[in-house]
Amino acid sequence: MPPAHPFDDDKLKEECGIFGVLGTMDAANFVALGLHALQHRGQEAGGIVSYDPDHGFNSARRFGYVRDNFTSQKVMETLPGALSIGHVRYSTAGSKGQTAIRDVQPFFGEFAMGGAAIAHNGNITNADALRRELIERGSIFQSSSDSECIIHLMARSLQRNIPERMEDALRRVEGAFSVVAMTRTKLIGVRDPLGVRPLVLGKLETGYVLSSETCALDIIGAEFVREIEPGEMVVITEQGIESRHPFRPKKSRFCIFEHVYFSRPDSILGGRSVYETRENIGRELAKEAPVEADLVCPVPDSGTPAAIGYSMESGIPYAMGIIRNQYMGRTFIEPSESIRNMGVRLKLNVNRALIRGKRVILVDDSVVRGTTSRKIKEMILDAGAAEVHFRIASPPTAWPCFYGVDTPQREKLLAATMSEAEMTQHLGVDSLKFISLDGLYRAVGEAKGRDASSPQYCDACFSGEYPVEPADMIEKGFEMKAAE
């Protein structure tokens, strides 16, 4: 599915969201609602698998939004049963931008002890090596997705039951994985030993829920129980929950960008409100990078909580200087070249009466390629702003992510090739400042900032320090940051 606007790829994209329900009739309907709440994590395609004793396993996979596919009674009637899992995706691994329906998860496998379906959020950094090994041993792959490796590894395992086979398979996998899986009677959730990607447990009146984020529990009225721990596997049946720890314990390295951008602001991460964390980031930015100005304006929508925090800390009034067109989606008319050249104006419009003659601080979550930032700056100046100052609620993104985020190649990241002063000149703004890495850590609750000897989060996209060596990418020529 092509992007609806030419600047769509100037934001980092989360790979996917996962959701599973056990113990309630028409579980697939709950999964569809959960995936709708997780749509921000993946908008390219979605899939749902359900199990019913009378009909066995059933699946539906579709391109596009959940609302356009899984609200149809005709589709949902094909997914009966009290056990179901689902997945929404962006393509990071696999045929990026040209997804085939066979790449859409959940994946299903039939084993000697019965069928199992699996949905994965993250990225397997040794998938190429595993795929080569499996193909040499006779495995036949149906998709280009790295997640399919898990099904084949499970098929080759000699363990007695599916949870044990999954443990066996995931011990061979490197990188980041939060997994939701199902058998005929079990709902299974697993996080990798570093806990890079999120996964939470919820409780319904008659059953249990697994979800990428807490906001998706709210939509179906489920009670948040706890986060699945890094390196933990939960096996849920109608009898209750069994917790296992199949991996060697490691220090947690949760993705810090979940706090900055990926997660919805109404979710809870690590016991912290994402909204409050983003407001704190704005406060830290105001302390670190003050500037005399008349207005603080967010770049909608991801810059809003940080802009509010900046305004509160600095005392400079907050204002909606840029208005977002809520109805600009991927279903927009196929843009002609002339419409494409309108660029950002298709999605954002400047509140001219407010901006004219003002010194404006624009707060955004990140700068990736810088193309959107330049266009927004031009719009603000065209509207008569006296000055434009950018304040960015994350450190410079200078390294690609290999753990489930769609990041451009390093040479296309503005911060990989330019200093802050060069970026300021390139963007043509009066000033540009990013929050420091220590400032970001303080905003997420680490009072002493980042522990350089043992970082509390995965921040590889900012620091170049990868907690898991990206073996496949190194084989393709990626050069790691030199040790200091």
Side-chain angles (χ1 to χ4, degrees):
M1 180 184 295
H5 2 79
F7 57 95
D8 245 15
D9 59 358
D10 198 30
K11 288 287 182 193
L12 298 182
K13 305 285 201 305
E14 236 294 10
E15 185 192 9
C16 43
I18 52 179
F19 198 82
V21 173
L22 175 141
T24 183
M25 287 309 297
D26 299 319
N29 288 329
F30 285 83
V31 170
L33 287 167
L35 294 180
H36 178 72
L38 297 173
Q39 189 78 84
H40 59 288
R41 300 183 75 87
Q43 298 172 23
E44 194 172 307
I48 298 176
V49 173
S50 72
Y51 178 78
D52 175 73
D54 296 330
H55 302 91
F57 286 93
N58 290 281
S59 71
R61 294 185 279 182
R62 301 285 191 275
F63 293 123
Y65 288 140
V66 174
R67 68 173 187 225
D68 296 331
N69 293 302
F70 296 104
T71 50
S72 153
Q73 188 179 348
K74 191 177 175 184
V75 172
M76 299 315 292
E77 281 175 352
T78 68
L79 299 167
L83 180 52
S84 180
I85 65 170
H87 185 274
V88 286
R89 90 186 292 263
Y90 276 118
S91 52
T92 58
S95 49
K96 186 153 65 176
Q98 299 173 346
T99 303
I101 200 71
R102 65 177 181 270
D103 292 327
V104 180
Q105 298 184 42
F107 292 129
F108 178 77
E110 194 72 63
F111 305 105
M113 67 287 292
I118 185 167
H120 164 223
N121 173 27
N123 231 40
I124 298 170
T125 55
N126 64 335
D128 290 353
L130 288 173
R131 180 182 279 259
R132 281 195 303 269
E133 176 195 319
L134 287 160
I135 288 172
E136 282 168 12
R137 293 184 177 187
S139 292
I140 299 170
F141 278 76
Q142 301 294 315
S143 77
S144 63
S145 171
D146 60 339
S147 311
E148 194 184 345
C149 289
I150 301 169
I151 286 280
H152 289 286
L153 288 168
M154 287 170 64
R156 294 196 161 271
S157 170
L158 301 175
Q159 297 301 317
R160 293 166 304 163
N161 59 46
I162 286 172
E164 287 175 3
R165 286 190 173 209
M166 188 175 292
E167 286 183 19
D168 211 16
L170 292 175
R171 287 193 193 104
R172 295 283 318 279
V173 165
E174 296 170 8
F177 53 87
S178 281
V179 168
V180 167
M182 60 182 278
T183 69
R184 288 171 294 187
T185 58
K186 298 179 176 74
L187 178 65
I188 303 167
V190 196
R191 277 179 87 189
D192 70 73
L194 297 176
V196 177
R197 294 271 153 253
L199 189 64
V200 299
L201 173 68
K203 179 83 175 73
L204 283 164
E205 212 170 290
T206 58
Y208 292 94
V209 185
L210 290 168
S211 173
S212 289
E213 290 183 43
T214 61
C215 65
L217 302 180
D218 299 337
I219 199 172
I220 62 167
E223 177 192 348
F224 170 63
V225 177
R226 64 178 179 87
E227 294 185 358
I228 305 304
E229 294 170 16
E232 182 185 13
M233 171 187 269
V234 290
V235 180
I236 307 170
T237 63
E238 289 185 346
Q239 284 69 50
I241 301 172
E242 178 194 346
S243 172
R244 309 176 181 184
H245 288 82
F247 312 105
R248 193 171 295 159
K250 292 185 180 179
K251 186 175 180 288
S252 169
R253 294 289 295 274
F254 183 63
C255 169
I256 202 163
F257 216 88
E258 290 279 357
H259 286 286
V260 175
Y261 177 67
F262 296 138
S263 293
R264 249 175 53 169
D266 50 337
S267 283
I268 306 291
L269 289 178
R272 297 178 60 83
S273 154
V274 174
Y275 179 89
E276 287 178 16
T277 295
R278 289 177 188 167
E279 200 177 87
N280 287 343
I281 291 172
R283 289 179 181 274
E284 284 289 336
L285 250 179
K287 291 175 193 170
E288 290 186 355
V291 63
E292 285 191 16
D294 303 305
L295 296 174
V296 178
C297 300
V299 176
D301 287 317
S302 50
T304 302
I308 291 169
Y310 194 104
S311 170
M312 290 165 76
E313 184 66 33
S314 65
I316 300 169
Y318 169 89
M320 296 293 288
I322 302 172
I323 307 300
R324 180 171 176 261
N325 174 8
Q326 301 291 341
Y327 302 99
M328 175 61 196
R330 286 170 181 256
T331 51
F332 191 71
I333 57 169
E334 185 61 34
S336 65
E337 194 57 37
S338 60
I339 290 176
R340 276 190 180 280
N341 289 337
M342 293 177 191
V344 179
R345 295 174 200 274
L346 288 171
K347 193 172 185 182
L348 304 173
N349 193 36
V350 176
N351 190 346
R352 288 174 172 269
L354 188 72
I355 292 294
R356 191 175 294 115
K358 301 290 199 310
R359 298 167 298 172
V360 180
I361 300 169
L362 289 177
V363 181
D364 204 356
D365 59 88
S366 60
V367 172
V368 182
R369 288 181 171 91
T371 49
T372 303
S373 303
R374 287 185 74 170
K375 289 171 181 172
I376 289 171
K377 177 267 303 185
E378 286 162 10
M379 286 168 61
I380 294 287
L381 288 177
D382 286 349
E387 295 175 12
V388 179
H389 303 272
F390 262 110
R391 292 296 178 266
I392 309 300
S394 61
T397 304
W399 296 86
C401 173
F402 301 121
Y403 307 131
V405 178
D406 184 11
T407 322
Q409 294 167 314
R410 183 154 197 255
E411 58 270 19
K412 292 182 180 175
L413 295 168
L414 209 62
T417 56
M418 294 185 189
S419 67
E420 196 172 88
E422 288 168 332
M423 282 190 272
T424 305
Q425 193 173 357
H426 172 76
L427 296 174
V429 290
D430 293 279
S431 74
L432 166 70
K433 293 290 180 185
F434 296 82
I435 194 170
S436 67
L437 200 45
D438 274 333
L440 178 57
Y441 270 75
R442 285 193 294 272
V444 298
E446 300 290 343
K448 294 181 180 176
R450 183 179 189 261
D451 181 349
S453 62
S454 179
Q456 304 94 313
Y457 287 87
C458 176
D459 55 26
C461 54
F462 308 131
S463 67
E465 295 174 24
Y466 292 92
V468 180
E469 195 173 85
D472 288 345
M473 299 309 297
I474 290 169
E475 190 180 302
K476 291 173 183 171
F478 176 75
E479 292 183 19
M480 298 275 280
K481 183 179 178 181
E484 293 177 356

